[in-house]
């Protein structure tokens, strides 16, 4: 499997937790972690290489520099990093034909092989639209951007060969320059506004479970998706929103599970 991560120094501790959970719950996989960044220090990258080696993961660094982003609209609100996952086809080697992007604020709690082998049915992306507490906001975002659903970009399966043919830096930069006053969550808004028709819809309860929404998932499944069901079936827990389980006073379910993996990562 080829896994893509993009981050700055602030999210390195969370990346270590996610990678720990990935390694423990995808045993036997030959997994390459593509670390795409523009500002991590050499010491940080070296430390992550050693960390991955200890977990039988292979880390490959890709530094986003040079002329590719020379014409990119960029402000404090819209940093260059917002283009990274959508331009993965441009940034990763041509020998890589498919990649699974995973946000660092996640836990992998079951194998990813089924997701990795998903038949993408001719689509460039496969992603999940969150249901539950965030559904009203998602509906508003869908109307705002003219898309049928509002997909979360925190877990994104990408057909890189199709992406290389369909997505160019110039196309993205032109869209941002024209719509910059409309973008609230820039990279996620771009995904939905520009590529909604090119996304395969995946069930969020399995592949991008919003950890804030336990009660809604439970009710939608008539009580089937209790904690035991989630632990047995859900592959990726996503700690969306401002409240994070590594911060004080986290009140949502699965916070204790996250702290368990934090402890494992520290070991």
């Amino acid at each position: 499997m080829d896994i893509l991560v993009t981050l700055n120094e602030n999210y390195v501790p969370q990346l270590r937790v996610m990678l720990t959970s990935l390694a423990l719950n995808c045993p036997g996989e030959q997994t390459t972690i593509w670390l795409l960044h523009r500002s991590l220090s050499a010491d940080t990258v070296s430390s992550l290489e050693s960390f991955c080696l200890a977990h039988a993961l292979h880390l490959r660094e890709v530094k986003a520099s040079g002329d590719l982003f020379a014409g990119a609209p960029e402000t404090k609100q819209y940093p260059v990093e917002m283009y990274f996952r959508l331009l993965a086809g441009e940034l990763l080697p041509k020998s890589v034909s498919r990649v699974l992007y995973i946000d660092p604020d996640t836990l992998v709690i079951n194998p990813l092989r089924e997701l990795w082998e998903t038949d993408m049915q001719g689509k460039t992306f496969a992603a999940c639209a969150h249901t539950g507490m965030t559904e009203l906001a998602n509906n508003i975002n869908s109307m705002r951007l003219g898309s049928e659903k509002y997909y979360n970009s925190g877990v994104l399966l990408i057909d890189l060969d199709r992406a290389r043919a369909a997505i160019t830096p110039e196309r993205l930069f032109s869209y941002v320059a024209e719509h910059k006053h409309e973008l609230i969550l820039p990279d996620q808004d771009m995904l939905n506004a520009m590529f909604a028709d090119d996304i395969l819809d995946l069930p969020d309860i399995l592949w991008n479970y919003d950890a804030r929404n336990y009660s809604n998932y439970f009710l939608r499944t008539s009580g089937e998706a209790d904690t035991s069901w989630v632990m047995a079936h859900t592959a990726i827990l996503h700690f969306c929103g401002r409240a994070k389980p590594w911060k004080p006073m986290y009140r949502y379910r699965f916070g204790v599970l996250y702290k368990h993996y934090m402890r494992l990562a520290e070991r």
Side-chain angles (χ1 to χ4, degrees), residues 83-140:
Y83 301 106
F84 285 0
R85 71 196 79 175
L86 294 181
L87 288 177
E90 296 278 340
L91 294 162
L92 297 183
K94 297 295 189 291
S95 58
V96 184
S97 60
R98 173 179 288 205
V99 75
L100 175 60
Y101 171 83
I102 306 178
D103 266 353
D105 61 344
T106 58
L107 286 178
V108 177
I109 62 171
N110 276 300
L112 297 178
R113 173 54 53 179
E114 183 180 344
L115 174 59
W116 176 251
E117 294 181 346
T118 295
D119 178 358
M120 296 182 68
Q121 302 175 27
K123 303 289 188 180
T124 301
F125 302 100
C128 305
H130 280 152
T131 52
M133 288 190 325
T134 54
E135 198 159 9
L136 176 59
N138 287 347
N139 289 339
I140 293 171

Side-chain angles (χ1 to χ4, degrees), residues 11-21 44 47-48 51 265:
Y11 262 83
V12 170
Q14 287 71 46
L15 176 63
R16 288 171 175 264
V17 176
M18 187 274 278
L19 292 177
T20 299
S21 69
T44 295
S47 174
L48 286 172
F51 184 86

Side-chain angles (χ1 to χ4, degrees), residues 1-185:
M1 297 190 298
D2 290 284
I3 306 296
L4 175 64
V5 295
T6 67
L7 71 159
N8 57 29
E9 294 278 356
N10 294 330
Y11 262 83
V12 170
Q14 287 71 46
L15 176 63
R16 288 171 175 264
V17 176
M18 187 274 278
L19 292 177
T20 299
S21 69
L22 170 68
L24 289 173
N25 291 300
C26 297
E29 297 285 0
Q30 294 183 347
T31 304
T32 298
I33 307 299
W34 294 93
L35 176 64
L36 177 55
H37 73 98
R38 67 165 180 168
S39 61
L40 296 179
S41 69
D43 286 345
T44 295
V45 174
S46 178
S47 174
L48 286 172
E49 286 177 340
S50 299
F51 184 86
C52 285
L53 184 61
H55 287 79
L57 303 171
H58 178 50
L59 185 75
R60 293 284 300 274
E61 178 192 12
V62 178
K63 192 159 187 179
S65 58
D67 298 331
L68 183 63
F69 297 100
E74 179 186 9
T75 66
K76 184 177 181 180
Q77 184 180 2
Y78 308 125
V80 162
E81 283 84 356
M82 74 177 180
Y83 301 106
F84 285 0
R85 71 196 79 175
L86 294 181
L87 288 177
E90 296 278 340
L91 294 162
L92 297 183
K94 297 295 189 291
S95 58
V96 184
S97 60
R98 173 179 288 205
V99 75
L100 175 60
Y101 171 83
I102 306 178
D103 266 353
D105 61 344
T106 58
L107 286 178
V108 177
I109 62 171
N110 276 300
L112 297 178
R113 173 54 53 179
E114 183 180 344
L115 174 59
W116 176 251
E117 294 181 346
T118 295
D119 178 358
M120 296 182 68
Q121 302 175 27
K123 303 289 188 180
T124 301
F125 302 100
C128 305
H130 280 152
T131 52
M133 288 190 325
T134 54
E135 198 159 9
L136 176 59
N138 287 347
N139 289 339
I140 293 171
N141 284 325
S142 296
M143 290 186 290
R144 176 171 62 86
L145 298 170
S147 57
E148 183 177 345
K149 290 188 174 184
Y150 188 73
Y151 291 97
N152 182 273
S153 60
V155 178
L156 200 59
L157 187 62
I158 309 172
D159 182 329
L160 293 175
D161 292 332
R162 284 186 56 86
R164 292 178 183 113
I167 306 172
T168 63
E170 294 75 21
R171 182 183 177 190
L172 294 185
F173 302 162
S174 176
Y175 180 85
V176 173
E178 183 177 351
H179 298 276
K180 60 184 178 182
H181 298 299
E182 305 164 26
L183 302 178
I184 299 173
L185 299 170

